[in-house]
Amino acid sequence: MNRAYSVLNIRAVNEDERVIEGIASTPTADRMGDVVEPLGAKFALPMPLLWQHNANQPVGHVEFAEPTEKGIPFKARVVKVDEPGTLKDRTDEAWQSVKLGLVRAVSIGFRSLSYEIMKAGGLRFKEWEWLELSLVTVPANADATITTIKSIDAQQRAASGHSAVGVVRPSKTGAAVKSIPITPARNYTMNIQEQIKAFEATRAQKSTAMTALMQKAADESVTLDADQSAEYDGLVAEVKSIDDHLVRLRELEKNHVATATDVTGIKTVESASIARGAVSASVKKELPKGTAFTRYAIALARSKGNVMQAAEIAKDWGDTPEVETVLRSAVSAGSTTDAAWAKPLVEYQNMSSEFVDLLRPQTIIGRIPGLRNVPFNINIPRQTAGSSAQWVGEGKPKPVSSLAFDNIKLGHAKLAGIVVLTDELVKFSNPSAEALVRQDLINTIVQTMDKDFVDPAKAAGAGGVSPASITNGVTPVIASGKTADDVRADVKALFSKFLSANMSLSGAVWIMTETQALGLALLLNPLGQPEFNGLSINGNSGGTFFGLPVVLSENIPANAGSGDPVEGAGSRIILAKATEILLADDGQVMLDASREASLEMDSAPTGSGSSLISLWQHNMVGIRAERFINWAKRRDGVVQFIDSANYGG
């Protein structure tokens, strides 16, 4: 098994879940001349996470990896074992070693599928099967490089009895002679040309050693002693053996040339495959993110919720086979210990997670950096009152203050919505129709989530059905006017409220509408220069405002009124400290479909049945999307906002 190394660049460490996120950047050509192309990786997740390349010492799994041109970002989880024993000791050691920086490298174990020889003599692995990722030790040396790691590993493998790339031994001349094994030690099959090249290099090396022995004797005007004669005669015998083998290899090469298939005139992939005696080659096209999950929804919709029929429909999508696998798993018997049955569970999670990755950047929550991720239904302590200190005189008693704490727990709050599509739309599986369905699914969740996240009127649902918005219960700063001076005065008042709650502005972020950001950006001073540099209307990013990043969303509800800011009309500008907002998210979206249902076509259904519409009668299909997500402020004062803003008017 081949290996590629990289220094582990840890991006995030989650203490409770033992999740490591980093970039396994594959090395460029080193002394051994090998290059591993990241985009050539073939793998299936989850993948074993090993300790020091020992297949008998797994410590976790690689749950996410996405090759890019510069490397392979990955997410790995070191398992947490509660039961005392060898497994707990090993996983705890691995986790602590990574966390404390004692283990600072990862190594990819792989099997070559396709490679080419570069001009410099090294190998470029163009396609390879990724078998495992290992946590490996980097020497505590500022000059340690990928080459150093690879070299040390080669020495360790040689010492343990495994084949090494080369063995250096002293010669009688006093110089080091590198003896290259006649049988290549690489774990792949060389073609004839490569074998000839390797043996020719070996022959040249042995001839050089023979010349060095004779030259040393000539320089000293002596003959070879017994040891030198034995060494020289041994080299002569090895050279003769190599020459005989080279003759056989060149004869074999001529025979292959004589029996080769003429490929002159072959111009297509299909004809080339036939000439090789292989099946027709096919290239898997790059699909838009979320396509597999969208097709899962379309298959359910076209089958009117019949899972068996949906699986048959999914057969037509050859480039997303996981859709059929997941649908068939819903009607197959099995158990969680059956690997063949449990595999679709992972594929559904991957498919759903990919859709959530597409969904997340379109939400306010997904664009706020630094939100504190927590698990569902876990008590999280939070401080509600701080300690205090006072000046005291000599010999006077010192004041005592107590800290106050309480607990907060985020339950499984469920966000659900129904998208109604026509039969005609779901029957057309071309990219245009898939894009429409995908966007409808996204909009179903995004609009409600964004609005409820920031709407001051959104209180917590009874019984924990839904969370309160982050602005609920906050006393706002009412906008004082429309000019730049009014903006500065209102922002100063907002900062004062933030700081009076003992909140640092570090990690804070603005949330506002594109319309309000444009109004602020268009405010100019008497010289025609922008009053607030840094603001921009560029997709979802609004640049910076008073040195803090801006998140834009048109889903922030405005405050209704007569149009005069003092009377409560206009938009809201929110300032939130991201690290003080708790977020629980299972990272998946669950789907179901029906054609026979009757729906109350209302965004706020009452259940009275007064406006029921039959989907069957109107040739429509309903897709229900559900997502478990919850949030809460860790303490009061972490969110403030300006109300009734209409700056720039």
Side-chain angles (χ1 to χ4, degrees):
M1 182 172 65
N2 299 286
R3 300 179 185 176
Y5 300 79
S6 68
V7 175
L8 177 60
N9 176 17
I10 299 179
R11 295 166 51 192
V13 175
N14 188 312
E15 183 67 34
D16 294 328
E17 298 183 5
R18 291 189 172 184
V19 171
I20 305 169
E21 292 184 79
I23 298 178
S25 53
T26 41
T28 54
D30 56 19
R31 276 189 313 204
M32 300 173 75
D34 295 342
V35 174
V36 181
E37 296 286 356
L39 294 179
K42 310 294 181 186
F43 58 91
L45 297 176
M47 183 190 307
L49 179 68
L50 303 183
W51 179 243
Q52 307 291 353
H53 272 304
N54 191 334
N56 295 324
Q57 293 190 358
V59 294
H61 293 92
V62 179
E63 299 178 344
F64 169 82
E66 185 172 351
T68 67
E69 292 182 356
K70 297 182 179 180
I72 306 179
F74 71 90
K75 179 189 289 185
R77 185 187 305 272
V78 178
V79 298
K80 190 172 185 179
V81 181
D82 295 325
E83 183 179 349
T86 304
L87 181 59
K88 175 177 172 57
D89 295 340
R90 181 170 72 243
T91 54
D92 287 350
E93 178 189 1
W95 173 248
Q96 291 170 7
S97 298
V98 171
K99 185 175 65 173
L100 297 176
L102 299 178
V103 170
R104 299 189 296 108
V106 289
S107 176
I108 297 172
F110 69 97
R111 181 175 66 88
S112 173
L113 299 177
S114 172
Y115 68 92
E116 64 182 12
I117 302 177
M118 299 183 291
K119 292 182 179 179
L123 297 177
R124 181 183 298 276
F125 295 97
K126 302 171 67 176
E127 290 189 355
W128 45 282
E129 182 183 7
W130 189 1
L131 303 175
E132 51 90 3
L133 181 71
S134 286
L135 301 172
V136 295
T137 306
V138 176
N141 181 348
D143 296 327
T145 63
I146 302 306
T147 303
T148 305
I149 304 168
K150 198 168 188 177
S151 175
I152 291 173
D153 178 73
Q155 296 173 21
Q156 291 173 342
R157 295 175 74 189
S160 64
H162 293 80
S163 296
V165 174
V167 179
V168 178
R169 60 180 176 85
S171 73
K172 297 301 180 181
T173 63
V177 178
K178 184 174 183 181
S179 175
I180 300 178
I182 293 179
T183 303
R186 298 183 185 275
N187 191 22
Y188 60 87
T189 302
M190 282 186 168
N191 59 38
I192 295 177
Q193 290 80 11
E194 291 170 345
Q195 293 179 52
I196 291 174
K197 182 178 178 181
F199 280 106
E200 285 176 341
T202 303
R203 188 191 189 286
Q205 195 173 56
K206 294 183 183 299
S207 295
T208 300
M210 291 165 58
T211 302
L213 282 170
M214 296 300 293
Q215 185 63 47
K216 185 175 185 296
D219 292 342
E220 297 175 357
S221 299
V222 297
T223 61
L224 300 179
D225 60 23
D227 289 339
Q228 290 173 331
S229 296
E231 182 178 358
Y232 185 87
D233 292 342
L235 289 171
V236 170
E238 290 178 4
V239 168
K240 185 179 184 305
S241 176
I242 292 175
D243 286 341
D244 292 342
H245 193 69
L246 284 172
V247 171
R248 289 189 289 269
L249 285 174
R250 291 190 176 105
E251 287 295 331
L252 184 60
E253 182 181 29
K254 291 179 182 179
N255 182 57
H256 282 192
V257 171
T259 58
T261 302
D262 185 6
V263 296
T264 305
I266 292 179
K267 298 181 179 179
T268 65
V269 173
E270 290 77 9
S271 57
S273 297
I274 294 172
R276 293 194 304 269
V279 297
S280 298
S282 61
V283 179
K284 184 176 180 179
K285 61 183 180 181
E286 192 70 24
L287 298 175
K289 181 174 286 189
T291 297
F293 192 78
T294 303
R295 289 178 175 178
Y296 175 76
I298 291 176
L300 285 175
R302 286 176 60 182
S303 65
K304 288 82 176 176
N306 186 317
V307 180
M308 280 294 295
Q309 187 178 349
E312 292 299 316
I313 293 172
K315 277 186 176 180
D316 295 335
W317 297 309
D319 48 0
T320 51
E322 62 270 30
V323 178
E324 181 188 358
T325 303
V326 170
L327 288 167
R328 289 202 182 281
S329 70
V331 293
S332 301
S335 66
T336 55
T337 59
D338 183 354
W341 180 82
K343 179 174 178 285
L345 301 180
V346 178
E347 291 184 333
Y348 180 82
Q349 183 178 10
N350 293 340
M351 194 166 62
S352 178
S353 297
E354 182 187 66
F355 180 78
V356 172
D357 288 341
L358 175 67
L359 167 71
R360 190 174 287 117
Q362 301 190 43
T363 64
I364 294 176
I365 288 176
R367 283 181 273 123
I368 297 179
L371 292 175
R372 182 172 297 190
N373 291 287
V374 298
F376 287 103
N377 292 327
I378 297 296
N379 284 321
I380 302 168
R382 61 177 177 178
Q383 185 176 338
T384 58
S387 60
S388 61
Q390 299 177 15
W391 297 100
V392 296
E394 181 179 355
K396 301 297 183 182
K398 280 67 176 176
V400 176
S401 59
S402 61
L403 302 178
F405 295 88
D406 68 358
N407 287 290
I408 184 172
K409 180 168 67 175
L410 300 185
H412 283 91
K414 181 169 62 177
L415 183 64
I418 297 177
V419 176
V420 177
L421 306 171
T422 64
D423 278 344
E424 291 76 10
L425 178 60
V426 297
K427 284 180 181 178
F428 294 115
S429 300
N430 59 61
S432 298
E434 289 176 1
L436 289 173
V437 174
R438 184 166 59 246
Q439 196 57 47
D440 275 346
L441 290 171
I442 290 172
N443 292 342
T444 299
I445 298 175
V446 169
Q447 293 173 1
T448 301
M449 186 188 301
D450 281 358
K451 177 179 177 295
D452 288 355
F453 186 66
V454 297
D455 187 359
K458 176 64 178 70
V465 172
S466 63
S469 76
I470 60 174
T471 56
N472 182 251
V474 176
T475 302
V477 172
I478 305 299
S480 57
K482 301 181 180 181
T483 68
D485 288 336
D486 296 326
V487 174
R488 281 185 279 268
D490 296 341
V491 170
K492 180 179 179 181
L494 193 70
F495 281 174
S496 296
K497 293 188 64 174
F498 210 79
L499 296 174
S500 65
N502 258 349
M503 291 294 142
S504 166
L505 290 173
S506 175
V509 61
W510 296 99
I511 308 171
M512 65 178 74
T513 64
E514 294 180 7
T515 304
Q516 183 57 84
L518 179 61
L520 291 167
L522 292 177
L523 285 173
L524 305 177
N525 62 23
L527 297 178
Q529 301 167 329
E531 288 278 4
F532 305 105
N533 284 320
L535 275 170
S536 65
I537 313 299
N538 180 21
N540 296 325
S541 174
T544 59
F545 183 52
F546 284 88
L548 298 175
V550 177
V551 172
L552 301 178
S553 174
E554 289 303 297
N555 292 326
I556 303 173
N559 203 352
S562 64
D564 186 342
V566 180
E567 296 180 10
S571 63
R572 297 180 171 103
I573 300 177
I574 303 165
L575 181 64
K577 187 173 176 67
T579 55
E580 294 296 318
I581 297 176
L582 307 176
L583 175 67
D585 183 4
D586 73 346
Q588 296 190 52
V589 176
M590 306 300 296
L591 295 183
D592 201 356
S594 175
R595 188 186 179 191
E596 284 71 30
S598 294
L599 297 181
E600 188 175 351
M601 306 294 279
D602 197 317
S603 59
T606 63
S608 63
S610 58
S611 57
L612 289 178
I613 298 295
S614 168
L615 297 180
W616 176 81
Q617 185 178 12
H618 290 80
N619 277 8
M620 294 189 297
V621 177
I623 300 178
R624 185 183 65 205
E626 296 179 337
R627 181 180 181 185
F628 286 95
I629 189 169
N630 203 347
W631 59 74
K633 292 181 290 187
R634 186 164 173 261
R635 44 182 168 165
D636 293 334
V638 300
V639 177
Q640 304 291 341
F641 69 97
I642 299 173
D643 204 358
S644 309
N646 192 19
Y647 301 120

